[in-house]
Amino acid sequence: MSEAVVNESNEVNSSNFDDDEKPKRNGTLITASAHIITAVIGSGVLSLAWAVAQMGWIAGPIVLLVFAIVTWYASTLQADCYRNLTTGKRHYTYREAVQSILGGAKFKFCALAQYSNFIGVSIGYTITASISMAAVKRAICFHKEGHQSGCHLENNRFIIIFGIAQLFLCQIQNFHELSMLSIIAAITSFGYSFIGIGLSIAKVAGGSHARTTLTGVEIGVDVTKEQKIWNILTALGNMAFAYAFSMVLIEVQDTLRQGPPENIVMKKASSIGIMITTFFYMLCGVVGYAAFGNTAPGNFLTGFGFYEPYWLVAFANVCIVVHLVGAYQVFVQPLFEFVESQCRKRCPQNKFFTTEFPINLPCCGAYNISFFRDVHSASQDSSVLGKMGMVEDLEFYLLACFHFSCRRLH
């Protein structure tokens, strides 16, 4: 009788864990696709009309499609790197996959490039979100006080607001718990893309005859020869940035539930995500170029001004902010996990790094709060303000404190 009870208990316990003895993963094709869409459709979509304007009707859409194909092919190759082909061992992060396959010191350089990219993307998203928040307030200001009003605003306060929101969201334990946030972010990304496309169509249908050409902006008319070359190179960079999600592909794949092989599910999710984003990218780039022509702005939503319908442009910017709040977490969660694991590994006795405090949240149940997670999230946000002439030394000061606390333990 007792043996039967023990066996039943072991079966129950094993059902809560995967083959690597980690808590069972619950990711699906839908959640993985949402993660990809959230990571891919970012602030880069706003500059595609300008990028197409630099290349024209022929090269612009072709280059965009080429980037989509290259990204899809690379993602299918990378999906096969999640498990070691010989041992079947999982690679939980991009860094571990590179270390297992390439070995040596190569993974350190790849990890440095990956984490540097995370920091760069998070800074870019923070600044873009603050600009969109300021655009909402300016649209309301113009509507209330008239189009002649200055309505000048500083972005610093909005960066701080964005950072405070991330202080709460950084308490999400790991990538596995980002599914709902990614789904919301993906929906809002569709929202502002649809609004931009709709406003562009309305502008064309309203009789706007923007000057467009097969080769884009014209030398001697719109730009000089040097500017043309520089703008094309910048447009290529914008298009490449718009498809960048390979740095989190392994982390997304690690959220998939056990069942169908993870690489097969991930390849399907990559195909779905890239097809959907390419559809929106083509519409935003081509229709935006048709609406604005060779004078397309860097952010095609701002090309419609802050006037009427002010509420629609304001709502589109709100969607951008909500999307970037979720996209920020998708890119920084792997970075946070790396910082936390390294600190706990080097300073296992330091309670500041290892202690979590459980609290009960309405509708969410028990949740663990880590003050360390808040501190290094705040240091990441402070680096944005540092680049804008504020609190330049805060991040260095925090890292020095961490180093000093570890030294005292040894």
Side-chain angles (χ1 to χ4, degrees):
M1 180 69 177
S2 60
E3 292 181 0
V5 172
V6 171
N7 290 335
E8 183 179 352
S9 176
N10 289 336
E11 290 178 3
V12 172
N13 290 335
S14 63
S15 66
N16 295 326
F17 297 90
D18 282 333
D19 56 0
D20 57 349
E21 298 182 354
K22 287 199 171 187
K24 186 171 285 295
R25 298 162 174 83
N26 297 315
T28 63
L29 177 64
I30 295 176
T31 59
S33 300
H35 284 315
I36 292 172
I37 293 171
T38 300
V40 176
I41 299 183
S43 55
V45 69
L46 303 174
S47 65
L48 290 180
W50 179 87
V52 173
Q54 308 314 305
M55 302 181 189
W57 285 116
I58 299 176
I62 290 177
V63 171
L64 196 59
L65 186 60
V66 168
F67 274 116
I69 295 173
V70 170
T71 303
W72 169 80
Y73 180 68
S75 66
T76 59
L77 296 178
Q78 193 174 349
D80 290 328
C81 299
Y82 175 64
R83 285 186 182 269
N84 187 297
L85 297 179
T86 304
T87 64
K89 180 182 178 296
R90 296 173 184 264
H91 300 137
Y92 303 117
T93 64
Y94 176 82
R95 179 171 58 92
E96 291 183 15
V98 174
Q99 184 177 14
S100 174
I101 296 170
L102 298 181
K106 299 181 183 68
F107 82 96
K108 294 182 180 179
F109 293 102
C110 291
L112 178 63
Q114 181 192 23
Y115 295 131
S116 299
N117 210 331
F118 285 153
I119 294 173
V121 170
S122 64
I123 291 173
Y125 280 4
T126 303
I127 295 174
T128 303
S130 67
I131 292 173
S132 294
M133 284 189 276
V136 173
K137 193 167 181 63
R138 287 192 69 193
I140 297 173
C141 175
F142 280 126
H143 179 72
K144 290 183 176 180
E145 300 183 14
H147 298 172
Q148 303 304 320
S149 177
C151 294
H152 298 297
L153 297 169
E154 293 289 338
N155 291 339
N156 293 340
R157 72 182 74 173
F158 300 108
I159 292 176
I160 294 173
I161 292 172
F162 185 85
I164 292 173
Q166 296 302 335
L167 286 179
F168 290 97
L169 291 175
C170 76
Q171 294 299 333
I172 296 175
Q173 299 294 316
N174 50 51
F175 214 106
H176 303 269
E177 300 179 12
L178 286 176
S179 298
M180 185 54 64
L181 186 62
S182 285
I183 291 173
I184 295 173
I187 292 173
T188 55
S189 68
F190 294 150
Y192 68 76
S193 297
F194 271 125
I195 291 173
I197 294 167
L199 290 174
S200 297
I201 294 174
K203 186 177 178 67
V204 174
S208 174
H209 299 290
R211 182 170 56 87
T212 62
T213 59
L214 292 178
T215 57
V217 293
E218 296 179 295
I219 298 175
V221 179
D222 303 302
V223 293
T224 63
K225 182 179 179 180
E226 292 76 13
Q227 289 174 329
K228 174 76 172 181
I229 296 173
W230 178 259
N231 288 352
I232 289 177
L233 295 176
T234 304
L236 290 172
N238 289 350
M239 290 183 177
F241 174 75
Y243 277 106
F245 80 100
S246 61
M247 67 194 86
V248 293
L249 187 144
I250 297 293
E251 284 78 0
V252 171
Q253 192 167 348
D254 189 49
T255 66
L256 294 174
R257 65 177 54 166
Q258 201 168 338
E262 297 90 356
N263 61 334
I264 294 178
V265 178
M266 195 63 199
K267 289 177 183 179
K268 292 180 180 178
S270 298
S271 299
I272 292 172
I274 292 172
M275 282 193 297
I276 292 175
T277 53
T278 301
F279 173 75
F280 280 99
Y281 282 180
M282 282 292 184
L283 286 179
C284 289
V286 172
V287 179
Y289 181 45
F292 296 103
N294 291 347
T295 59
N299 180 341
F300 82 127
L301 277 179
T302 62
F304 301 105
F306 300 97
Y307 308 144
E308 307 302 333
Y310 85 98
W311 60 269
L312 189 58
V313 177
F315 179 72
N317 281 287
V318 170
C319 289
I320 293 174
V321 173
V322 174
H323 172 241
L324 294 182
V325 165
Y328 182 96
Q329 285 296 316
V330 169
F331 281 102
V332 299
Q333 277 290 337
L335 178 62
F336 288 173
E337 190 278 332
F338 172 75
V339 172
E340 292 172 24
S341 63
Q342 291 298 311
C343 289
R344 290 168 180 167
K345 179 180 178 181
R346 296 175 182 274
C347 310
Q349 304 301 323
N350 192 323
K351 293 184 178 180
F352 180 66
F353 295 153
T354 59
T355 304
E356 295 184 343
F357 303 92
I359 62 172
N360 290 318
L361 297 177
C363 303
C364 297
Y367 215 78
N368 293 326
I369 299 297
S370 169
F371 292 122
F372 173 52
R373 204 172 292 130
D374 273 335
V375 169
H376 68 73
S377 175
S379 68
Q380 172 68 15
D381 294 329
S382 71
S383 65
V384 181
L385 293 174
K387 287 175 172 53
M388 301 182 70
M390 299 174 61
V391 295
E392 293 90 342
D393 300 323
L394 179 57
E395 188 170 15
F396 172 78
Y397 173 75
L398 291 171
L399 292 175
C401 289
F402 294 159
H403 178 71
F404 178 72
S405 64
C406 289
R407 294 279 294 181
R408 290 191 62 183
L409 288 173
H410 292 290

